[in-house]
Amino acid sequence: MATIYEVSKLAGVSLATVSRVINNNSRVSDKTRQKVTDAMAELDYRPNSIAQSLASNRTNSVGILVSELHGPFFGQMMAGIESELRLAGKHVIITTGHSEEDKETEGIEFLISRNCDAIILHVEAVSDDYLIELCKGNTPVYLMSRYIKEIKENCISLDNELGGYLATKSIITQGHSSVAYIAGPQFKSDAKCRLAGHKKALAEYKIPFHDTLYFEGDFSETGGSEGLEYFIKNKRHFTALVCANDEMASGAITYAREQGFSLPQDLSIIGFDNIIFSQHTYPKLTTIDNPVNLMGHMAAKLVLKNIYQQSDIEITHFFEPTLIVRDSVISIL
Amino acid sequence: MATIYEVSKLAGVSLATVSRVINNNSRVSDKTRQKVTDAMAELDYRPNSIAQSLASNRTNSVGILVSELHGPFFGQMMAGIESELRLAGKHVIITTGHSEEDKETEGIEFLISRNCDAIILHVEAVSDDYLIELCKGNTPVYLMSRYIKEIKENCISLDNELGGYLATKSIITQGHSSVAYIAGPQFKSDAKCRLAGHKKALAEYKIPFHDTLYFEGDFSETGGSEGLEYFIKNKRHFTALVCANDEMASGAITYAREQGFSLPQDLSIIGFDNIIFSQHTYPKLTTIDNPVNLMGHMAAKLVLKNIYQQSDIEITHFFEPTLIVRDSVISIL
DNA sequence: TTGTAGGCGTTATCAG
DNA sequence: CTGATAACGCCTACAA
C-alpha cells in the first residue's frame, strides 16, 4: 500500500503538500494539486484512516449502542442513523446492550475506548445519573428515545406519554370502558411513559385503573400472549386491550385466536410503534406511529451538526406519535 | 487521558515493559507487573486503540456489509456475528449495500479503507468474478449466504436449492398439483437457487412448470401481494402458493384475505426463512427454517479462527434448511 | 504557496 | 526479564 511519502516523492513535492490536497483545506496551486492527484492515481494511493485518526485525533466514526440488533424497531433506528452518517462519509460502530445495566455500561466503555467521535445510545437499564455523568466526559453522548432534562440538548425523544394517551383515548372513544393494558418493562422509560399516558386517558374519562387489568410484559410476542392469558384467567370482563408495543399486540392476537376469540368482534386490540409487520397481522393492527427512522436520522444530524461542524441543520428534539387506524379496533357504541 | 509514557514514569519502568503487561504476552516479573498495573489503575489508564492499531497493523475490527439494517433476516444475521465477535473483544463496523452494485462496491471500499482486519459480506448485486478478485486483496473477505466455488473456504452458505425443493415437495405431497410460485429477484443467488429447488420438486412429481404460475417479486411484503394479484388476474387455477421468503408470504396472506379468500381452505401458502413474525401471521405460516443467526455465528467464528488465530474452532460451511410445519398449508388428498 | 520537523500513542526489534 | 529506539502513516504549526 502506497504511503503519502511515496506520493510526495513521485509528485516531487513535500509531505505537507500531499496532506493538503488530501484534506483539500489549505490552498494549493492548481498545478501542484494536479501533480499530486496524478501521483495518487498512479500509485492507487488510499489514505490510511488509522494514521489519520492518530494524527488528527478524529476517527470519523460514531458509536451506536442499541438494545438488540434484531427487531423491527432497532432496525429502523439504525437504518436512519447509518444512512445519514454514511452520506457524510462517517462510519458507525454498532454494539448491543441487551437492556441490562452491566452490558450497557460495558458497551459504552467499549465504544469510548474505540475513540468514537461521538456515541449515540439507546439505553434502558442504565440510570439517568450515570448518563448525566457520562456526558461530562470527553466523548460526546447522544440519547435516542430517552429524555433526561439535565441533558435535554443531547436527547432525541418521542412523546411516549402522548402516545399512550392517544392509544387509550382512541379506544375509549369507541365506546370501550373496560380496557386491559399490557405494559412494557417498567424499568424502561418509554414503557413507563406509555403507561402514564394510558392512565391519564382513563382518568380523563373517569375510568378507574384496575390492577387486574394490568400486566407487565417484556415487549416481545410472548409478553403479549402471557398478558392475555393472565387476564383471561382473572375472569375480569374487558372488551379492549391496549398493548405497549406491536410485538406484544401481535402475540396477543395470536393467543386470542388460539383461545377461540374472533377478532376484532370479541376483543379490540391496539399496539404501539407501527412496525412494518403491524400491517400484516389479522386483523390489521391499529397502532400508534413511532417515527423511529426519522428520529435516527435526526440523531445523526445532531452529531453532524455538533461534532462535524455541519451547520445549516435544523434539529428537532421532540417527536410526536400519531394514531394509525386499521382494523383491530371496533366501535361498540 | 493518561498515556503509556506516564504510566511508565509512575511505575519506574520503560515504555516497553508497560506495553508488555498491556499485551501480557512476553514474560514480565510479577513484581514489575504489579507496579505497572498499580500505576495504570492510579492513572485510570486506557490504551489508545488507534495508536495500537497503527503500530500493530491490526484494528480488531471486522467490517460487515448487509443489504439492509432493518428486516428480520439481517437483524438475526448481524446479531449472530456481533455477539460472537464481541465476546472476543472485536468490534464490528456495519454498513449497507442495498442490493445495488455500486452501493455494494462502495461499501466494500469503505470498509477496506477503514482497515478492517477482515470483512464479512452479504452482497447480492456484485458479480462472482468481482468477489474472487477481491479475495486476492490484502483484506480477508468472507461471504454470507453465497456460495462461490472458487473461494468456497470463505463462504458460509445455506443450501437454498434444498430449501426450495423441500418447500414445494411438502406442498405436493399434501396433494397440491397446481402450485404458483412467487420468486425473489433473480439476480440474487439465493432467489435463483430456491427457484431451482422448486422446479426440481415439480419435475420429480412430473408437474409442468408454467410461466403463468410464476412471478418474480422483490422479497418484500408488496412482492407477495403483487404476485398474488397477478395470478388471480391470470385466472389460472391453483390451490397452493410457494413464496421465496416469509415477507412475501405474509404480503400474499394479507392480500388473499382482502380478496375474500378464506385461508388456508381456499389457498395453501408456504414461506421461507422462518422469521420470527411467521409465527404470528394468520394462519401461522408453514415455512422453511433458515438458520441465519447460527450462520452469523459461524461466519464470526471463521474470522476468529483464520484472522485472530483462535484455534480449536470447528467450522461448518454449509447449512441445511428444514421444514417447519404450521397452519398455512392443508392437505387436499 | 510550499517545505521542515515534531508529534500522535503504541508496538516491536534489538541489545543488554 | 528489561530498556532504548526506530518504526507506523499522517497532520500541523512554524518557517521560508
Side-chain angles (χ1 to χ4, degrees):
Chain A
M1 196 80 258
T3 73
I4 199 176
Y5 176 69
E6 303 173 45
V7 174
S8 77
K9 261 200 330 203
L10 182 61
V13 298
S14 74
L15 288 185
T17 303
V18 178
S19 175
R20 288 190 186 98
V21 350
I22 291 174
N23 306 290
N24 64 330
N25 42 6
S26 193
R27 49 206 99 255
V28 177
S29 78
D30 284 355
K31 211 162 54 184
T32 32
R33 176 182 306 277
Q34 190 57 51
K35 280 193 298 189
V36 172
T37 34
D38 287 351
M40 295 199 306
E42 184 170 341
L43 295 172
D44 190 28
Y45 167 77
R46 316 287 176 96
N48 179 322
S49 61
I50 298 295
Q52 288 179 314
S53 296
L54 184 60
S56 66
N57 198 29
R58 170 138 293 182
T59 59
N60 288 311
S61 69
V62 354
I64 302 189
L65 178 61
V66 291
S67 300
E68 304 295 342
L69 249 20
H70 61 263
F73 184 87
F74 295 112
Q76 289 295 139
M77 189 178 118
M78 292 187 290
I81 298 175
E82 198 262 352
S83 66
E84 193 75 39
L85 250 23
R86 185 68 169 10
L87 217 60
K90 312 303 175 190
H91 71 283
V92 301
I93 296 179
I94 302 183
T95 189
T96 53
H98 300 287
S99 306
E100 292 170 33
E101 186 168 0
D102 51 342
K103 290 189 181 166
E104 286 183 354
T105 56
E106 193 201 327
I108 293 170
E109 299 275 346
F110 184 75
L111 293 174
I112 291 178
S113 81
R114 241 61 213 199
N115 298 66
C116 295
D117 294 334
I119 56 182
I120 298 176
L121 270 27
H122 184 291
V123 284
E124 309 182 296
V126 120
S127 74
D128 283 6
D129 288 343
Y130 169 86
L131 291 169
I132 293 171
E133 205 52 40
L134 190 64
C135 282
K136 296 179 183 157
N138 296 315
T139 306
V141 177
Y142 296 94
L143 261 34
M144 284 278 314
S145 292
R146 179 153 173 178
Y147 174 78
I148 300 179
K149 98 172 159 301
E150 288 85 347
I151 49 175
K152 63 180 172 198
E153 288 301 311
N154 301 327
C155 299
I156 299 290
S157 60
L158 181 76
D159 192 338
N160 279 294
E161 182 170 336
L162 174 62
Y165 171 79
L166 250 35
T168 298
K169 178 175 176 175
S170 79
I171 289 281
I172 296 174
T173 55
Q174 296 293 313
H176 299 273
S177 56
S178 45
V179 356
Y181 189 83
I182 300 182
Q186 289 301 298
F187 71 88
K188 301 189 181 185
S189 64
D190 325 22
K192 211 157 44 181
C193 293
R194 290 175 190 183
L195 174 60
H198 168 68
K199 289 184 175 171
K200 183 175 158 193
L202 288 184
E204 185 172 318
Y205 288 89
K206 311 236 186 301
I207 300 176
F209 174 83
H210 285 109
D211 277 349
T212 46
L213 286 180
Y214 172 82
F215 182 84
E216 183 175 325
D218 61 359
F219 266 164
S220 86
E221 285 83 355
T222 51
S225 51
E226 288 166 3
L228 186 51
E229 180 180 8
Y230 168 81
F231 295 140
I232 292 174
K233 280 203 181 123
N234 269 357
K235 293 194 195 300
R236 206 171 195 298
H237 171 76
F238 61 102
T239 59
L241 172 63
V242 178
C243 294
N245 79 352
D246 289 349
E247 275 95 334
M248 296 199 297
S250 80
I253 287 177
T254 301
Y255 184 78
R257 194 149 13 236
E258 285 170 3
Q259 298 304 308
F261 281 67
S262 94
L263 300 177
Q265 295 76 24
D266 297 346
L267 182 63
S268 285
I269 298 181
I270 186 168
F272 199 122
D273 280 344
N274 192 25
I275 63 176
I276 291 184
F277 217 91
S278 65
Q279 303 169 41
H280 296 280
T281 57
Y282 178 67
K284 293 177 188 169
L285 192 63
T286 291
T287 189
I288 300 291
D289 183 57
N290 181 350
V292 62
N293 184 271
L294 258 182
M295 290 169 65
H297 274 277
M298 193 53 75
K301 283 182 180 173
L302 187 52
V303 340
L304 252 23
K305 177 171 187 165
N306 289 352
I307 309 302
Y308 297 115
Q309 279 75 270
Q310 285 196 201
S311 42
D312 72 303
I313 296 189
E314 289 274 322
I315 301 298
T316 307
H317 286 274
F318 298 101
F319 286 76
E320 294 210 340
T322 49
L323 177 69
I324 306 288
V325 175
R326 287 200 276 256
D327 309 332
S328 64
V329 173
I330 58 163
S331 168
I332 58 171
L333 288 174
Chain B
M1 198 77 256
T3 74
I4 198 177
Y5 176 68
E6 303 173 45
V7 175
S8 76
K9 257 199 332 200
L10 182 61
V13 299
S14 75
L15 288 184
T17 303
V18 178
S19 176
R20 288 194 186 96
V21 353
I22 292 174
N23 306 292
N24 64 330
N25 43 6
S26 192
R27 49 206 99 252
V28 177
S29 77
D30 284 354
K31 211 161 55 184
T32 32
R33 178 182 303 279
Q34 190 58 50
K35 281 193 298 187
V36 172
T37 33
D38 287 352
M40 294 200 305
E42 184 170 338
L43 295 172
D44 190 29
Y45 167 77
R46 317 287 178 91
N48 180 322
S49 61
I50 299 295
Q52 288 180 313
S53 297
L54 184 61
S56 66
N57 198 27
R58 171 139 290 184
T59 60
N60 287 311
S61 69
V62 355
I64 302 190
L65 177 61
V66 291
S67 299
E68 305 293 343
L69 249 20
H70 60 264
F73 184 86
F74 296 112
Q76 291 295 137
M77 187 178 122
M78 292 187 290
I81 298 176
E82 198 263 351
S83 65
E84 192 74 38
L85 250 22
R86 186 67 167 12
L87 216 60
K90 312 303 176 190
H91 72 282
V92 301
I93 296 179
I94 303 183
T95 191
T96 54
H98 301 285
S99 307
E100 292 171 34
E101 184 167 3
D102 49 345
K103 290 188 181 167
E104 287 184 352
T105 56
E106 192 200 328
I108 293 169
E109 300 274 347
F110 184 75
L111 293 174
I112 292 178
S113 81
R114 243 59 213 201
N115 297 68
C116 295
D117 294 335
I119 57 182
I120 298 176
L121 271 27
H122 183 290
V123 284
E124 310 180 295
V126 121
S127 73
D128 283 7
D129 288 342
Y130 170 85
L131 290 169
I132 293 170
E133 205 52 41
L134 189 64
C135 282
K136 296 178 184 159
N138 296 314
T139 306
V141 177
Y142 296 93
L143 262 34
M144 285 277 314
S145 292
R146 181 156 172 174
Y147 174 78
I148 299 178
K149 97 172 160 303
E150 289 85 347
I151 49 175
K152 63 182 170 197
E153 288 300 311
N154 301 327
C155 300
I156 299 291
S157 59
L158 179 78
D159 192 338
N160 279 295
E161 183 170 335
L162 175 61
Y165 170 79
L166 251 36
T168 298
K169 177 175 177 174
S170 79
I171 288 281
I172 296 173
T173 54
Q174 296 295 312
H176 299 273
S177 57
S178 45
V179 357
Y181 189 84
I182 301 182
Q186 289 301 299
F187 71 88
K188 302 189 181 185
S189 63
D190 325 21
K192 212 158 41 183
C193 293
R194 291 174 190 185
L195 175 59
H198 167 69
K199 288 183 175 172
K200 183 175 160 196
L202 289 183
E204 185 171 319
Y205 289 88
K206 311 237 185 301
I207 300 175
F209 174 84
H210 284 110
D211 278 348
T212 46
L213 286 180
Y214 171 82
F215 183 85
E216 182 175 325
D218 61 0
F219 266 162
S220 84
E221 285 83 354
T222 51
S225 50
E226 288 166 4
L228 185 51
E229 180 181 8
Y230 167 81
F231 294 140
I232 292 175
K233 279 205 182 120
N234 269 357
K235 295 195 194 297
R236 204 168 194 304
H237 171 77
F238 61 102
T239 60
L241 172 62
V242 178
C243 295
N245 78 352
D246 289 350
E247 275 95 334
M248 296 199 297
S250 80
I253 287 177
T254 301
Y255 184 77
R257 195 149 13 238
E258 286 170 3
Q259 299 304 307
F261 281 67
S262 92
L263 301 177
Q265 296 74 22
D266 296 348
L267 182 63
S268 284
I269 299 181
I270 186 169
F272 199 121
D273 280 345
N274 192 24
I275 63 176
I276 291 187
F277 217 91
S278 65
Q279 303 170 41
H280 296 279
T281 57
Y282 178 66
K284 293 176 188 169
L285 193 63
T286 291
T287 188
I288 300 291
D289 183 58
N290 181 349
V292 62
N293 183 271
L294 258 181
M295 290 168 65
H297 274 277
M298 193 52 75
K301 283 181 179 170
L302 187 52
V303 343
L304 251 25
K305 176 170 187 165
N306 289 352
I307 309 302
Y308 298 115
Q309 277 78 271
Q310 286 196 204
S311 42
D312 72 300
I313 296 186
E314 288 274 320
I315 301 298
T316 307
H317 287 275
F318 299 101
F319 286 76
E320 293 210 341
T322 49
L323 178 68
I324 305 288
V325 175
R326 286 199 278 256
D327 310 332
S328 64
V329 173
I330 56 166
S331 168
I332 57 173
L333 287 174

